[in-house]
Amino acid sequence: MNISVAIMAAGLGTRMKSSMPKVLHTISGFEMLYHIIKEAKCISDDVHVILFHQAELIKEKMSHYFNDVHFIIQDHQNFPGTGGAIMGVEPKYDKLLVLNGDMPLLQAKDMQNFTHFQAEIVMSAFTCKEPFGYGRVIMDSDNRVKKIIEEKDANALEKETKTVNAGVYLFQTSFLKENLPKLTNHNVQKEYYITDLVSLSNDVKAILVEEDTFMGVNSKYHLSIAETLLQERIKKNFMEKGVVMRLPQTIYIEADVVIEGECILENGVSLLKGTKLVNTHIKTNSVIEKSTIKNSSIGPMARVRPDSVIEDSHIGNFVEIKKSTLKGVKAGHLSYLGDACIDEGTNIGCGTITCNYDGKAKYQTIIGKNVFVGSDTQLVAPVTISDDVIIASGTTVTKNIPKGALAINREPLKIVENFFYKFFGSQK
Ligand code: UD1
Ligand code: MG
């Protein structure tokens, strides 16, 4: 589409009360700025991001995801404020869509909607019960937008206005070129406001938008509201595709998670970044991170940590799995399986631990097919267990075990008759 986009992200974000820049706070696993750049790139090949405070940090984080956005440094010293922010933008196209960087719920379709209207400025507004903090949209008697007045500059009457500026604008580039130099900083904050451009035009179209989509995140309370709204959107989308969720309000799913086929998620499940589930049942209070799970059941209260691949397996309660590949495996209870590769038909007994770390480096445990690992086994890595092996309960495995063998390292059990009575006396 022939439209340029500018995302303003140079502000200090004072109200977040954080040393981290506002736009780097995350919702559903990703920075607010990531969400909005991703959507903007769906409608434009000319995306500008305006930075100032902690610009290098923001640039570095965003360049993990995007390599073709233009980062611009605002001349904040001389031109602070949202008007100052867009002064340095050189749009490639004759229309520039300007977005606040603190609007993580905005989607490409909402941005596209602005392009259906012809005007020097297409701005957006919504009506809300608590307008505090937003710029108020002041109309004339013909219902035309006269000006936008910021909270800090508004008089008592203006503050009563419930129609507020949503913070997204589509400008004709020629209008900006002509009018940006006319902005002044004659206001309480001594800033150049983008919102003052509205009173410099006789051709302003205001469109009504949804508060839930256009909300600006200015505080950590707002962040929590945006998180709830995005979670609702993500989960509704999956449920419509056939995923069963028990008590969905207790489930947390990050924005890039993929769920395919028939999956069931019980209450309290967390699916973190980089997770993919196919035909899988995740039971109560399990956490899955950056792992792929197919045709399996996991939990309750299991933790699958990054880089695990689990297929056709049953993982029970209090099992932790990290960077491991399991295919056709049963690990029903209380185990730690880290840096392991475990093959079909193998049963991992309760209390099995892969001792994968010697204090300096991590080592692999390889377990073949049809192995029976007895309860309370320690596998000291690096170690390889071949197919068809039985490991007796309570064994510490420190050597590779050949195919078909039994591994057992137990002290003989000693029984001392009547010891109890000798120790405590016969009264006890
Ligand atoms: C802004 C609008 C307000 C609107 C609200 C909607 C102005 C003056 N006010 O207020 O009318 O109701 O958004 O959410 O625009 N930024 C810069 N450079 C700066 C200052 C800010 O790039 O010098 C960026 C911020 O990083 C942020 C965005 O602009 O992403 C908006 O700034 P913010 O301080 O959140 O403005 P609001 O007070 O929310
Ligand atoms: Mg804001």
Side-chain angles (χ1 to χ4, degrees):
M1 192 184 268
N2 290 346
I3 177 175
S4 297
V5 178
I7 302 169
M8 301 186 289
L12 197 51
T14 323
R15 289 166 283 178
M16 288 303 269
K17 302 204 174 11
S18 171
S19 58
M20 182 159 76
K22 172 162 80 172
V23 292
L24 290 188
H25 284 79
T26 58
I27 65 165
S28 300
F30 291 85
E31 297 83 358
M32 289 201 276
L33 190 58
Y34 162 85
H35 289 287
I36 197 157
I37 297 178
K38 180 174 144 276
E39 295 297 317
K41 279 173 55 59
C42 298
I43 65 152
S44 173
D45 64 356
D46 187 41
V47 176
H48 304 254
V49 178
I50 298 115
L51 302 173
F52 179 74
H53 291 287
Q54 302 189 59
E56 281 313 308
L57 176 66
I58 300 175
K59 225 187 308 193
E60 190 226 305
K61 293 264 181 205
M62 290 303 113
S63 44
H64 288 309
Y65 309 114
F66 311 107
N67 54 17
D68 53 354
V69 298
H70 309 289
F71 292 104
I72 297 169
I73 305 294
Q74 180 179 349
D75 180 3
H76 205 275
Q77 214 86 24
N78 295 313
F79 297 100
T82 47
I86 54 165
M87 285 177 186
V89 181
E90 297 277 351
K92 175 165 144 192
Y93 299 113
D94 59 7
K95 294 220 166 146
L96 178 68
L97 184 73
V98 179
L99 312 170
N100 281 358
D102 63 358
M103 305 175 77
L105 301 174
L106 209 60
Q107 290 180 288
K109 63 175 191 295
D110 308 307
M111 300 177 190
Q112 213 148 19
N113 194 29
F114 284 73
T115 63
H116 300 148
F117 303 91
Q118 293 297 334
E120 264 174 359
I121 305 175
V122 184
M123 60 162 285
S124 49
F126 56 79
T127 311
C128 64
K129 281 200 198 97
E130 287 178 42
F132 180 80
Y134 284 112
R136 311 296 203 279
V137 181
I138 309 296
M139 309 278 200
D140 65 16
S141 50
D142 295 330
N143 245 356
R144 282 201 309 238
V145 180
K146 213 166 83 187
K147 64 172 179 178
I148 299 170
I149 184 96
E150 291 307 302
E151 172 83 36
K152 288 181 180 152
D153 302 302
N155 62 36
L157 188 67
E158 287 166 335
K159 276 186 188 155
E160 276 175 28
T161 310
K162 301 273 190 283
T163 307
V164 301
N165 169 29
V168 177
Y169 325 81
L170 181 65
F171 292 102
Q172 280 176 7
T173 304
S174 54
F175 170 83
L176 281 181
K177 284 225 164 82
E178 206 181 311
N179 290 282
L180 272 176
K182 295 183 193 163
L183 287 183
T184 65
N185 63 349
H186 303 152
N187 50 56
V188 172
Q189 301 192 85
K190 303 249 173 309
E191 287 188 353
Y192 294 82
Y193 292 160
I194 194 171
T195 45
D196 284 348
L197 290 168
V198 164
S199 37
L200 296 175
S201 171
N202 292 319
D203 184 19
V204 180
K205 167 79 190 163
I207 58 174
L208 274 181
V209 294
E210 291 283 324
E211 181 179 359
D212 279 1
T213 310
F214 281 72
M215 74 170 288
V217 171
N218 297 314
S219 67
K220 287 184 176 147
Y221 175 59
H222 292 156
L223 192 71
S224 75
I225 295 172
E227 180 73 279
T228 305
L229 291 168
L230 186 57
Q231 281 298 304
E232 258 170 38
R233 189 191 285 168
I234 290 170
K235 289 182 279 191
K236 184 172 174 219
N237 183 33
F238 281 128
M239 286 187 271
E240 279 171 352
K241 287 186 178 149
V243 177
V244 174
M245 293 192 196
R246 186 165 78 192
L247 297 181
Q249 65 275 29
T250 66
I251 295 172
Y252 173 72
I253 304 177
E254 295 198 327
D256 68 341
V257 168
V258 176
I259 308 180
E260 290 172 0
E262 298 213 19
C263 289
I264 301 174
L265 306 180
E266 293 186 7
N267 47 301
V269 163
S270 291
L271 304 179
L272 308 183
K273 267 200 252 190
T275 293
K276 179 176 178 180
L277 304 182
V278 184
N279 297 329
T280 280
H281 184 164
I282 312 285
K283 297 181 184 169
T284 305
N285 291 342
S286 297
V287 181
I288 319 291
E289 185 175 3
K290 197 172 165 252
S291 292
T292 299
I293 305 176
K294 291 186 186 161
N295 306 323
S296 297
S297 69
I298 310 282
M301 289 158 289
R303 179 169 181 212
V304 180
R305 290 171 49 204
D307 304 318
S308 298
V309 178
I310 300 172
E311 270 179 55
D312 305 316
S313 295
H314 163 71
I315 307 301
N317 50 193
F318 306 112
V319 175
E320 175 180 345
I321 296 172
K322 187 219 79 172
K323 208 177 180 184
S324 293
T325 302
L326 278 65
K327 221 178 179 187
V329 172
K330 285 189 180 143
H333 347 253
L334 287 155
S335 288
Y336 171 61
L337 305 171
D339 303 299
C341 184
I342 311 176
D343 215 336
E344 270 169 66
T346 287
N347 185 87
I348 304 290
C350 174
T352 297
I353 298 170
T354 53
C355 309
N356 60 330
Y357 184 51
D358 65 359
K360 287 189 195 160
K362 302 269 166 71
Y363 301 97
Q364 274 241 309
T365 299
I366 296 167
I367 307 179
K369 293 190 171 68
N370 307 318
V371 173
F372 182 86
V373 180
S375 297
D376 191 24
T377 291
Q378 295 102 59
L379 300 152
V380 182
V383 71
T384 299
I385 319 290
S386 300
D387 296 347
D388 308 330
V389 161
I390 297 175
I391 300 174
S393 170
T395 300
T396 301
V397 179
T398 52
K399 289 184 220 160
N400 294 345
I401 317 280
K403 186 167 188 279
L406 164 73
I408 180 163
N409 65 352
R410 252 180 230 162
E411 285 288 303
L413 177 68
K414 195 168 152 189
I415 295 178
V416 182
E417 300 268 352
N418 291 319
F419 181 83
F420 182 96
Y421 307 107
K422 276 184 218 149
F423 189 73
F424 288 116
S426 48
Q427 259 80 311
K428 203 124 179 159

